[in-house]
Amino acid sequence: MILKNLVTVEGSKVDIEIDGDKIVRIAEKIEGEGIDLGGRLVSPALVDSHAHMDSNFLLDLCKEAPTPKFEEALQALIECKENLTEEQIYSLMRKSVIYYIKSGSLYVRTHVMIDGKKWRERLNSIMRVKEEFKGKINIQVIGFVQSYDYFSDEVEERIWKAIELGVDGIGGQPHLQPSVDDGVRMIKKIFDIATEKGLLIDFHADYSDDPTTRFSEIIVSETLKRKYFNKVSLSHLLAMHSYHEDYALRLMRWMKEAGVSVIVSPITELEGSGAFEGYPKRRGIPRVREMIYNGVNVALGHDDIQNQLNPIGDGDMLKAAFALMIGDYMYFSQFFNDIFKLMTYNGAKALNLKEYGLKEGMRANLVIFEGRSVKDVLVEIKPRRMVISNGKIVYENSSSESIAI
């Protein structure tokens, strides 16, 4: 297959030849018949670095929260997901995959809650979906201790059971444990297990407006002590928004040193920040521009889809990008290429992906957008023109929409 008349994010005009599941040639002009894509923008498949596939589309089965208050909405979400059958969980996860493929997110890291009473049903369902769509979408599973249970020996045992079921990584929310000591104990135990088994680590880190919430420094310190470089991520990191400048810059320096990625989900951060405040309210997005400037790997996630926390989410990374551009003042053209990196190459680095990128010899996982420039794509947020997974067209939207799964 030859894809003709494309433009890269960097502005180069290219044709792309695909043989099997690999990109074999990229050149300004490749002879032979092909698909003329009319000067549209092409990028590697998008990377959604933060999802909760066990929480998506809960509004198909449960009511919206009676209030927009974050804590009450979160409680309604937990109550809903704890009362689903395994078949319902599987069905909603499967629906998520369709949305991800259509938007070009062929790499998705999903956190799956392993505390609570339906933990096994959730893990069984995600492993079933991961296997079913193997070759179409790459799902990376994090066994996630939500911290609505105390981090007891029983919860630790759940982590080991999750590993037996095939998770790719583990994580938790140390800031929700009843004390600092309990949170630190959780962090160290997760590091013990992950380093023993060679797993990735992704913490929901310091999801709080409280500037004294500083578990991220413990996570960075453990990464450095154990030399577990480039395998650890901090998701959300709301507190970074409220840290004093001196402390924030020092933390960024050590995050870079440790190869710790920060995964920002701006829609969720904007929902959660200011939950306990009147006005004025904080934005809660963790200094993305400053972290990029200081060499920290920052990746992007969409997070919730049509549940009690985000009733209007649809999994499209371009909408997450739009929220970030507004929320962290990145709507100037000088930041547009950075925005694309957050949902492509930076995400690939956070997820430890191999054979990723728009290069010869890489996997032929590509997105062709309707726009003809980076600005057009980010501003217009149109349906994708084409999505290619492992060298095969899995979604196409020309005169009529079709999806091949």
Side-chain angles (χ1 to χ4, degrees), residues 40-194:
R40 290 176 172 83
L41 192 77
V42 63
S43 85
L46 302 182
V47 181
D48 187 340
S49 297
H50 192 99
H52 286 269
M53 288 176 64
D54 60 339
S55 299
N56 290 346
F57 296 108
L58 292 180
L59 294 184
D60 287 5
L61 300 172
C62 302
K63 294 180 180 179
E64 280 192 35
T67 168
K69 291 183 179 178
F70 181 82
E71 286 297 311
E72 294 178 26
L74 182 59
Q75 185 58 41
L77 180 148
I78 296 295
E79 289 176 4
C80 176
K81 67 192 288 185
E82 286 288 74
N83 286 286
L84 300 182
T85 66
E86 185 168 326
E87 196 58 32
Q88 287 173 323
I89 296 167
Y90 161 74
S91 177
L92 297 183
M93 288 182 175
R94 196 178 191 280
K95 183 176 180 178
S96 300
V97 170
I98 307 303
Y99 275 64
Y100 292 133
I101 289 174
K102 288 172 65 173
S103 66
S105 294
L106 299 184
Y107 299 92
V108 178
R109 172 181 282 183
T110 182
H111 297 254
V112 176
M113 181 176 160
I114 61 173
D115 42 359
K117 64 184 182 181
K118 293 294 182 77
W119 65 275
R120 188 180 294 277
E121 288 88 341
R122 289 187 282 268
L123 284 172
N124 287 342
S125 296
I126 193 60
M127 294 307 170
R128 180 179 169 190
V129 169
K130 182 176 180 177
E131 182 61 29
E132 180 179 353
F133 289 95
K134 188 177 181 180
K136 299 282 197 314
I137 184 171
N138 299 269
I139 300 172
Q140 189 177 93
V141 182
I142 302 295
F144 170 54
V145 180
Q146 186 101 18
S147 278
Y148 291 98
D149 293 332
Y150 181 68
F151 190 69
S152 61
D153 291 343
E154 180 183 356
V155 175
E156 182 185 336
E157 183 61 29
R158 295 267 183 89
I159 295 176
W160 287 106
K161 289 178 180 177
I163 293 169
E164 289 174 8
L165 289 170
V167 298
D168 303 288
I170 54 178
Q173 295 197 96
H175 61 282
L176 290 184
Q177 287 295 300
S179 74
V180 172
D181 287 345
D182 289 318
V184 172
R185 182 171 57 84
M186 170 193 274
I187 290 168
K188 291 185 176 182
K189 181 56 67 174
I190 286 174
F191 266 95
D192 288 344
I193 296 169

Side-chain angles (χ1 to χ4, degrees), residues 1 139 187 214 220 234 291 301 374:
M1 174 166 52
I139 300 172
I187 290 168
R214 296 184 173 186
V220 171
L234 304 173
M291 286 193 287
V374 172

Side-chain angles (χ1 to χ4, degrees), residues 6 38 130 166 219 266 289 331 359 370 393:
L6 290 164
K130 182 176 180 177
I219 296 165
R289 287 172 295 126
Y331 37 65
K359 300 176 183 177
E370 271 300 338
I393 299 171

